[in-house]
Every structure is written in C-alpha cells, then in structure tokens.
Amino acid sequence: GLSQGQGQGQDQDQGQGQGSEPTEEELQAVSQARSSASVEESLDAVRTLERSEARELSKYEIVPSQIRNGQDIRTAVMIRNIPKACSRESLAGLMTSCGLDDRYTFLYMPFDKRRNTHCGISFVNFLSPQDVLLLYNAMRKQRWRSLPGSKGGAKPAVSYARLQGHERLMKHFRLAAVMHDEDVLK
C-alpha cells in the first residue's frame, strides 16, 4: 500500500510537471483568446475615453451664435498650432491686423527653455466676447497666413481657455511660468 501510494504521488507530480503541460499551440490559443478579449476591452476603454474627451473638449469650442446672442460671455482664448517661427511680436501684429490692437489685456506664449522655442500655444484675454468673435472669424478667414512659418504646418486653432479672466490668467501663469514684463502688461 505504502509504496503504491508513493508511486501514484510520483506519477501525479511527474504528470503535472511534464505530461499534462499545455502544448505550445494550446498556449498560443489561450494567449490569442486573452489578447483578443483584452484588445476588445482596450478598444472599448479607448472609445469611452474618446467620447468623454470629446464632451470635455466641446465646452471649450467657440460657437459664434452663442457669443452674438449673449449666451457665452467668456473672454480668454487659447491659440494652438502657432508656427515655431512665429514670435510674440508677430502674434501681437496679427492681433493688430485683426483690429484687436487695444482689445486684449493679456497675451502670453509659454516658452520651452530646453528647446529654446515657444510651445506652439498662446493665451489671450480680451476685453469683450465680441473680441473673441473677431479673432475667431479672422482665423477662419486665414488671417493667420501672415504669421512667419505658417506655410505647410497645421493651421492655428482658437478655443476658449480653461481659465477665464485677466486676474485668473495672471495668477496662474505668475505661479506656473516665468513671464516677461510685456506679458504682464499685455
């Protein structure tokens, strides 16, 4: 009895260790099944995230009719896709060409010291929502083509900034970045 029980135990150990191991084909099939399931789960998660991001981003979209009828009174915008060759002065010149020379209280282009260039975005606070509309329409009419380096790159886009108002922008960027004196004044 004792030697038989030991023998069976040994057979079981050997059986689990060698004879009943899954074949490479079985491992691949299991791996593919798991991979397919995880790919589907990942795709579902990405789709959900994209829908949520789209909803999140839509609240920053400029809707001209809402400005015209007074529903949207925001005054701070973010300009994205600014060509790397464009300086702060060039952007201020664009504002002037749009009739907005004395219509903004804040203009800031974050600078990347490591790359020794601006980050391709700018924050502008205007005096009124109608000024936002002027810039928005000018950008849609491709006024941005006057910016240095605008040939061939992505066209600049304008949307509302997350932070609104001169004071909130000043407070945020005073803490978050080094600003030049002219950024503070305008």
Side-chain angles (χ1 to χ4, degrees):
L2 201 65
S3 65
Q4 193 178 18
Q6 288 175 339
Q8 285 176 349
Q10 286 176 349
D11 286 343
Q12 284 178 345
D13 288 343
Q14 288 175 354
Q16 287 176 349
Q18 293 174 359
S20 66
E21 271 188 27
T23 65
E24 191 168 324
E25 292 82 21
E26 290 171 326
L27 286 174
Q28 285 179 342
V30 168
S31 176
Q32 286 175 346
R34 285 183 183 155
S35 179
S36 298
S38 64
V39 165
E40 278 305 311
E41 289 170 2
S42 295
L43 288 173
D44 287 343
V46 166
R47 287 182 196 114
T48 301
L49 183 60
E50 285 173 345
R51 283 190 298 272
S52 124
E53 286 176 348
R55 277 192 302 274
E56 183 69 21
L57 290 176
S58 71
K59 68 184 177 186
Y60 300 110
E61 186 177 328
I62 295 172
V63 180
S65 61
Q66 291 180 351
I67 296 172
R68 281 189 221 102
N69 67 23
Q71 283 180 298
D72 201 330
I73 59 168
R74 292 178 280 183
T75 58
V77 299
M78 177 175 68
I79 305 171
R80 301 180 310 284
N81 303 329
I82 298 172
K84 293 295 181 190
C86 179
S87 66
R88 184 185 183 288
E89 291 74 23
S90 299
L91 190 60
L94 174 68
M95 296 295 167
T96 299
S97 75
C98 294
L100 294 166
D101 187 36
D102 293 327
R103 302 299 305 164
Y104 58 96
T105 63
F106 184 91
L107 172 63
Y108 178 61
M109 287 178 73
F111 192 81
D112 184 344
K113 289 180 182 178
R114 289 177 302 174
R115 292 185 175 92
N116 199 30
T117 186
H118 65 81
C119 299
I121 61 173
S122 177
F123 297 91
V124 184
N125 186 67
F126 291 102
L127 294 173
S128 76
Q130 286 68 34
D131 300 327
V132 170
L133 191 56
L134 267 175
L135 177 66
Y136 178 82
N137 287 332
M139 297 301 263
R140 292 194 66 203
K141 292 177 183 168
Q142 300 191 3
R143 258 302 149 79
W144 54 271
R145 290 202 179 268
S146 65
L147 294 174
S150 65
K151 308 264 187 289
K155 71 177 190 175
V158 182
S159 60
Y160 285 114
R162 183 176 55 85
L163 299 174
Q164 289 293 311
H166 181 87
E167 293 305 317
R168 287 194 68 199
L169 289 167
M170 286 289 294
K171 182 178 178 184
H172 176 76
F173 287 110
R174 187 177 292 138
L175 298 173
V178 176
M179 292 198 326
H180 300 284
D181 288 338
E182 65 267 13
D183 291 331
V184 174
L185 299 173
K186 203 176 201 185

